[in-house]
Amino acid sequence: MERAIVHMDLDTFFVSCERLQESKLNGIPVIIGGGDRGVVASCSYEARYFGVRSAMPIKMALKLCPDAKIIRGDYERYSKFSKEVTEIIQEKVPVLEKASIDEFYMDLSGMDQFFGCYQWTKEIAESVTKNTGLPISFALSTNKTVSKIGTGESKPVGRFEIPAKNINSFLNPLSIRKIPMVGEVTFQLLSRVGIRKIQTLAEMPVLVLQQMIGKNGAELWKKANGIDLNPVIPYSERKSLSKEHTFTNDTMDIFEIKRLISEMAESLAYQLRQEKWLTSTVVLKIRYANFDTETKQMKISYTSIDHTLARVALDLFEKLYTRRMRLRLVGLRFTNLVHGTYQMNLFEDSEELMNLYQAMDRMKNRFGKNALGRASGFELASG
């Protein structure tokens, strides 16, 4: 049975949410982001016309489009809209994967014998817009890669079907940048040897690609040829991430306790970014030697960055640890999670800080999560 895989993407999601709140934003350039040293989290098509794009420094965006309306953004509001859309789609499809706050995959394989898959998908998209007011685009094909590329090519408010027989003719003329796993480094590497179109990449020998870019060469070749067997993974919302440490000997060593809290915050923040989550609530737990257990929590703006989460966790410890007693256990939990592709708090963080965290994460992905970290989280060698 030929698979029927749909990719749906809410168009300029953050901007669309803001326009539902304020109709005066319709038809004008809008940039979602924060601070003069911040970066663009999202922007309207009117702003993109001037060359503005996501992750661009706000200052540069304003030089390109000085008349743009800057909005700081409300991730909690966007999360609520995302949840509404998820519930609408989930009621209508057999298998749903929520890839990010504004992006979904559906497996409709076999449903065409009851109802045309394209027509079914079209009605789902119309239902989303009717019930939420949010514009949404989709593409239907035989796998996730082709469907995702198709959605990008169909925007805004696109409806696209790419049958198996048309996959290669659809992909071949496109830039290799359109392949989801091709980042800037890979694009520059391939460009230097004249590989800029998907067709050229698809015709390359697999072994040559593997020699050029490593183990991902074979996977990249498959995607260029429209081959992707990855399944649609049923959606389930994670509630929280947590870590606990029980001391071998009960302790009052404040320096060591704070070091441990910093290390846990950094480790959990890295996990948030790898799984593409943001948290809005930090919970600290301590257990005294007499087994009395106390917790304290703080609500924060959605984020997944180490320094913010570590600072909040340490502040909670200062407020929570009020007895001069030894501690048996300390624990840290991040809860009220929302899914998103925005790995940093784009409404607050500078481009330099974003680049630093992305570089650190690449090093951890390559050499292990303990390969590097903040000095405050490392245990100092004695002697």
Side-chain angles (χ1 to χ4, degrees):
M1 181 178 64
E2 186 174 277
R3 294 202 300 165
I5 308 298
V6 176
H7 177 263
M8 275 192 177
D9 198 344
L10 291 157
D11 295 330
T12 58
F13 177 50
F14 292 176
V15 174
S16 297
C17 291
E18 295 295 341
R19 284 175 166 171
L20 288 176
Q21 304 297 312
E22 181 53 74
S23 61
K24 291 180 181 178
L25 298 175
N26 292 333
I28 68 170
V30 178
I31 294 173
I32 309 294
D36 290 339
R37 297 182 66 243
V39 295
V40 176
S42 180
C43 59
S44 66
Y45 287 106
E46 292 84 358
R48 293 182 189 183
Y49 175 80
F50 292 92
V52 179
R53 54 176 174 75
S54 294
M56 173 182 285
I58 293 286
K59 283 187 176 180
M60 184 184 296
L62 286 175
K63 286 181 181 178
L64 294 171
C65 187
D67 295 328
K69 172 72 173 177
I70 306 292
I71 298 174
R72 190 163 186 81
D74 184 345
Y75 214 100
E76 192 160 2
R77 178 192 301 160
Y78 307 151
S79 179
K80 289 178 181 177
F81 273 113
S82 176
K83 186 176 180 181
E84 287 181 31
V85 174
T86 304
E87 289 173 351
I88 291 168
I89 299 175
Q90 208 164 24
E91 288 180 355
K92 301 177 184 295
V93 300
V95 184
L96 171 69
E97 175 182 337
K98 187 173 183 178
S100 73
I101 195 170
D102 59 355
E103 185 180 11
F104 309 85
Y105 289 101
M106 288 154 269
D107 190 340
L108 304 184
S109 303
M111 293 188 67
D112 52 349
Q113 58 185 304
F114 306 107
F115 195 73
C117 289
Y118 178 84
Q119 183 62 27
W120 184 283
T121 308
K122 182 170 175 286
E123 291 187 7
I124 293 172
E126 290 171 350
S127 178
V128 168
T129 302
K130 179 181 177 181
N131 287 283
T132 67
L134 295 168
I136 192 166
S137 297
F138 74 80
L140 166 67
S141 192
T142 61
N143 63 63
K144 296 169 82 171
T145 295
V146 178
S147 295
K148 182 177 175 65
I149 295 173
T151 303
E153 292 301 291
S154 74
K155 287 190 169 190
V157 197
R159 310 281 189 265
F160 202 3
E161 182 174 12
I162 308 132
K165 63 181 181 180
N166 296 342
I167 286 177
N168 293 117
S169 60
F170 163 68
L171 292 176
N172 284 343
L174 299 178
S175 167
I176 59 174
R177 286 183 185 270
K178 302 291 184 177
I179 300 175
M181 67 184 293
V182 175
E184 185 61 30
V185 174
T186 303
F187 174 76
Q188 293 299 335
L189 176 63
L190 294 174
S191 291
R192 284 197 289 270
V193 295
I195 304 174
R196 297 182 180 87
K197 298 293 184 182
I198 290 180
Q199 181 172 2
T200 310
L201 182 60
E203 292 172 350
M204 286 285 293
V206 178
L207 291 178
V208 174
L209 278 176
Q210 287 179 315
Q211 290 171 352
M212 288 179 61
I213 61 176
K215 62 181 181 180
N216 288 329
E219 189 65 23
L220 186 57
W221 181 88
K222 288 179 183 178
K223 291 183 184 295
N225 282 277
I227 302 168
D228 180 3
L229 301 180
N230 290 313
V232 173
I233 302 170
Y235 167 72
S236 61
E237 196 73 80
R238 182 190 272 276
K239 301 299 182 183
S240 66
L241 290 175
S242 63
K243 272 183 173 292
E244 289 187 353
H245 179 83
T246 301
F247 297 104
T248 305
N249 298 304
D250 299 343
T251 183
M252 291 178 63
D253 185 341
I254 301 300
F255 180 84
E256 170 61 16
I257 294 168
K258 288 185 175 181
R259 182 204 65 77
L260 183 62
I261 291 172
S262 294
E263 187 278 328
M264 288 194 294
E266 183 176 354
S267 177
L268 288 173
Y270 172 67
Q271 188 176 350
L272 284 173
R273 295 193 296 273
Q274 291 307 293
E275 297 183 17
K276 298 181 180 176
W277 295 104
L278 297 174
T279 181
S280 67
T281 307
V282 179
V283 184
L284 187 79
K285 177 169 76 172
I286 60 174
R287 180 169 295 149
Y288 290 99
N290 65 355
F291 286 88
D292 285 352
T293 303
E294 297 180 5
T295 63
K296 197 171 189 65
Q297 68 179 43
M298 183 180 294
K299 188 85 171 174
I300 59 173
S301 298
Y302 281 100
T303 189
S304 63
I305 55 174
D306 305 4
H307 70 274
T308 298
L309 294 167
R311 185 187 69 242
V312 171
L314 291 171
D315 287 347
L316 287 172
F317 175 73
E318 293 285 353
K319 295 173 182 176
L320 191 59
Y321 184 53
T322 57
R323 305 190 222 172
R324 295 296 296 168
M325 288 179 59
R326 295 180 183 274
L327 289 182
R328 178 182 180 83
L329 173 147
V330 63
L332 185 63
R333 179 162 56 96
F334 299 155
T335 187
N336 287 336
L337 307 182
V338 295
H339 223 326
T341 54
Y342 305 95
Q343 297 185 350
M344 311 299 148
N345 187 341
L346 298 185
F347 308 136
E348 295 180 3
D349 297 326
S350 67
E351 181 191 18
E352 295 87 353
L353 191 59
M354 244 184 69
N355 290 337
L356 172 63
Y357 275 102
Q358 289 171 346
M360 288 176 64
D361 286 350
R362 284 196 294 270
M363 292 288 286
K364 290 181 178 182
N365 291 343
R366 184 173 180 181
F367 299 109
K369 65 179 182 179
N370 297 320
L372 77 165
R374 294 178 174 274
S376 59
F378 280 105
E379 187 171 4
L380 299 178
S382 60

